[in-house]
DNA sequence: GACCGGTATGTTAACCCTAACATCGGCACA
DNA sequence: TGTGCCGATGTTAGGGTTAACATACCGGTC
């Protein structure tokens, strides 16, 4: 059971009839080894199926070529896409990735996770957990010598970061709705946090405020389709609205459903706009207008940022990417509800009949 | 930049006025240390912010408490859920998880990834890549001393495995459709592989064959909603069908869309059944009948299996979990298309009008 | 008072590798 | 023939920890 890789440099050296150091040079492709020796060593290594022990290498080199990624709930779209992007970039640069999932976004939980990563001597950490600027700064202060990149914090947080400009994307979405002429708009907001600066909800409110508007109602969901469904039901029990801003596409799926159940047509009766642009969004009924966020690219960018810090040139400015508005068919100008609904049902009827000529 | 954790056991020992070994005992909570010494050491460690170097520990102990997870495309539902489940179980048992994403399921790619993990001295590996029994067996043979658990291989593959009984789930889905009275059924199959034993497609075909039926048509998709959409379009260009089996829910989203665009009502005109039960499935229009797979639990189970191997009692039987059929509203008995469509459109019209009473 | 068992602590040798220095032979040049 | 340089190789000393053994001390027993 133990004795996994009994084959060490010394074994290879013995077989090839050279010193350990020479084998090390060959394995690491260093110069100053004669061709003859090199092939002899290579053969010996192959023959013994030698696998270098990176633990020992790391200990000697004081460098592990491993980075840690701390993230919240991996079952959601964003974190899993992010993970994919980071892993890809890391692997390309010769790094391994240790992922650590924190059940909640508290400072304590993240600190704990980071400590475990430090014990494993990671060269740096990437942190995707939404933290207040104060918490992020505190955490950063606790790791003086560990390169780190934060994601999902606000742009003004004084830590190295790679971010999406969420507020900007949110403003895009809200402005689109107002441009269409909507005045009665409702929100399905992210869970937790009150309205803090630089969040999606904050962006929405800003745009509304610029038009002397306030949301008809705002209910928070838990990022899941079911959460979106419940939130939409709650909204539907309240005052009427013609436009709905949803904090992510997964919740929008639930919202679309709740609207449908109520007999409301999207976009004729209610315009809906999501956030993220998941692969299903383009194919929902109706196709969802949304704000596209490219998570894999963000992940890659964050890793590059970390690499820069490792190389010793920490770019102090946060790397922030602007999302993009994707217009599809879930948004339209507001209409008189009754006329719209009848129109629409008739159109559907016509289409059904036509389909079988 | 370097000199990350200059604080070592020796530093703590010096400050506390004891030997390294004593500090080691305190840090690892071993017995035979007096209470007085223990607190002195604890204080010294806290004062210096000592962080143990797990690299050194692992080297000395010949055990890293790290496991590797090799998986294909993390952006899909299954792998990301699986990762979450494994990480959770691993963390609970004091293990860290290194994830390695392989761009393709080839034996070479997986072998390469596993080798990198071996260099990092992981205690074991979990492999989620669909491989032929032969490939899996070959791979297993290449790692004689490394505990491993395979997922996404067929149950008869002679390797330690934790599996979902895909064929069984597929049979459940197909049988449901036939029980409803459908005879003209089409497939949207997984990408790649021809029909091999113990796959979803194989399960479907078995059930059909038992009723002397063959599929009207079978087109493969790429697991994505868009892929499902394209596949459904292709099917719609061919001979008519009243039931559609789709290899996963994400593709089903696209299929539902394609059907809708064609003016076909689900389930009146075409029954659709998916696979996986993603969080959105219950809220689609219509709610999708599907086969539920519990990936987080599978992940946890796989990890437990690995732990058992590490403990020295390798259960030779693969751990296989049976999925469950979830009936919602996307399946119904076949109807005369025209009657159904008209009925349905009228119902919709009525509902719309009623909604504003 | 010699002997025992047991606890608290220290010392030494690994674990596998790399960095830094040391050595050796050959070749070119004067 | 000596000098100097350089490429090829070897030797030694860590990197931070643990396992195994060694030592010192205490209280109790006959």
């Amino acid at each position: 059971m133990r004795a996994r890789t009994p084959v060490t440099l010394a074994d290879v050296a013995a077989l090839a009839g050279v010193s350990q150091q020479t084998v090390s040079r060959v394995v690491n492709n260093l110069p100053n080894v004669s061709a003859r020796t090199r092939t002899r060593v290579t053969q010996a290594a192959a023959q013994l199926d030698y696998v270098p022990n990176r633990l020992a290498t790391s200990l000697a080199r004081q460098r592990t070529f491993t980075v840690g990624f701390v993230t919240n709930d991996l079952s959601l779209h964003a974190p899993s896409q992010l993970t994919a992007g980071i892993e890809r970039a890391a692997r390309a640069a010769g790094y391994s990735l240790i992922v650590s999932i924190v059940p909640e976004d508290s400072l304590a939980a993240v600190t704990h996770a980071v400590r475990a990563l430090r014990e494993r001597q990671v060269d740096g950490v990437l942190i995707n957990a939404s933290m207040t600027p104060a918490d992020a700064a505190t955490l950063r202060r606790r790791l003086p010598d560990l390169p780190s990149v934060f994601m999902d914090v606000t742009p003004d947080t004084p830590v190295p970061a790679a971010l999406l400009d969420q507020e900007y994307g949110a403003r895009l979405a809200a402005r689109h709705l107002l441009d269409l002429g909507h005045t009665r708009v409702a929100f399905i907001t992210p869970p937790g946090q009150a309205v803090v600066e630089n969040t999606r909800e904050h962006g929405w409110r800003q745009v509304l405020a610029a038009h002397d508007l306030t949301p008809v109602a705002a209910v928070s969901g838990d990022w899941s389709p079911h959460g979106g469904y419940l939130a939409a039901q709650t909204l539907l029990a309240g005052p009427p609205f013609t436009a709905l801003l949803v904090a992510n596409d997964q919740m929008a799926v639930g919202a679309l459903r709740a609207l449908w159940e109520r007999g409301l047509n999207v976009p004729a009766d209610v315009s809906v706009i999501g956030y993220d642009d998941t692969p299903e969004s383009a194919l929902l009924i109706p196709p969802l207008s949304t704000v596209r966020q490219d998570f894999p690219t963000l992940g890659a960018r964050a890793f590059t940022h970390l690499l820069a810090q490792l190389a010793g040139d920490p770019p102090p400015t946060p790397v922030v990417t602007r999302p993009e508005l994707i217009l599809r068919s879930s948004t339209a100008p507001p209409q008189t509800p009754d006329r719209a609904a009848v129109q629409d049902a008739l159109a559907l009827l016509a289409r059904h009949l036509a389909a079988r000529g």
Side-chain angles (χ1 to χ4, degrees), chain A:
Chain A
M1 193 72 256
R2 238 25 0 270
R4 184 166 339 105
T5 302
V7 182
T8 71
L9 272 193
D11 300 320
V12 179
L15 180 60
V18 297
S19 73
Q20 280 193 33
Q21 186 58 249
T22 299
V23 178
S24 170
R25 279 190 267 257
V26 172
V27 170
N28 294 0
N29 255 311
L30 296 177
N32 298 345
V33 178
S34 72
R36 220 178 85 74
T37 309
R38 197 176 288 272
T39 58
R40 252 226 319 264
V41 170
T42 307
Q43 280 174 10
Q47 185 180 332
L48 296 176
D49 187 24
Y50 170 67
V51 175
N53 184 332
R54 291 265 222 158
L55 245 44
T57 305
S58 297
L59 189 58
R61 281 215 251 233
Q62 300 285 83
R63 189 88 189 268
T64 57
F65 286 95
T66 301
V67 299
F69 178 48
V70 178
T71 183
N72 45 33
D73 194 355
L74 240 203
S75 62
L76 296 173
H77 175 70
S80 68
Q81 291 293 98
L82 219 40
T83 307
I86 293 170
E87 200 277 349
R88 195 185 158 84
R91 162 195 285 263
Y95 282 74
S96 289
L97 185 69
I98 298 184
V99 340
S100 179
I101 303 175
V102 290
E104 37 150 351
D105 287 0
S106 70
L107 177 58
V110 177
T111 300
H112 187 78
V114 170
R115 189 189 149 96
L117 292 170
R118 285 226 290 168
E119 293 190 357
R120 293 211 133 86
Q121 307 299 112
V122 296
D123 292 336
V125 289
L126 297 152
I127 299 170
N128 178 54
S130 57
M131 292 193 287
T132 62
D135 280 357
T138 302
L139 179 54
R140 174 75 183 137
R141 219 172 307 114
R142 284 190 194 155
L143 6 124
D145 297 312
L146 186 65
S148 54
V149 174
F150 288 71
M151 308 161 93
D152 203 9
V153 292
T154 59
D156 54 328
T157 307
V159 296
L163 305 169
L164 294 164
D165 192 341
Q166 314 236 1
E167 185 185 326
Y168 173 80
R171 284 201 305 263
L172 249 32
R175 202 171 296 136
H176 169 59
L177 254 19
L178 298 201
D179 286 350
L180 287 172
H182 291 275
T183 54
R184 300 197 318 249
V185 355
F187 294 171
I188 296 181
T189 65
Q193 79 224 9
V195 191
V196 291
E197 304 253 333
N198 299 304
T199 60
R200 295 177 200 184
E201 185 177 357
H202 188 247
W204 294 340
R205 285 187 189 272
Q206 271 193 331
V207 172
L208 261 63
H211 289 244
D212 289 320
L213 254 33
T214 49
V216 164
V219 175
S220 79
D222 64 0
W223 296 126
S224 79
H226 188 65
Y229 176 72
L230 295 179
Q233 281 189 326
T234 304
L235 289 173
L236 288 168
F241 51 92
T242 64
L244 179 59
L245 284 156
V246 188
N248 76 341
D249 285 3
Q250 290 193 277
M251 289 197 290
V253 170
L256 248 25
R257 172 76 203 176
L259 260 14
W260 185 90
E261 285 181 2
R262 244 333 217 283
L264 293 169
N265 183 293
V266 175
D269 301 321
V270 177
S271 285
V272 174
I273 188 163
Y275 209 106
D276 278 354
D277 194 23
T278 63
E280 23 278 289
S281 301
L283 297 161
L284 294 176
I285 301 171
L288 189 66
S289 293
T290 189
V291 178
R292 176 174 297 164
Q293 310 217 82
D294 185 348
F295 291 108
T297 300
L298 175 63
R301 208 166 283 191
F303 182 77
T304 306
H305 192 336
L306 190 63
L307 231 43
Q309 286 185 53
L310 284 168
D313 42 283
T317 47
V319 179
V320 8
T321 311
R322 295 205 142 177
E324 181 189 354
L325 184 65
I326 306 289
L327 261 21
R328 293 199 269 247
S329 320
S330 66
T331 49
Q335 296 191 16
T336 317
D338 306 74
R339 211 195 69 219
V342 174
Q343 254 179 16
D344 200 74
L346 287 173
L348 193 58
L349 177 59
R351 191 167 49 230
H352 270 128
L353 293 173
R356 29 198 80 75

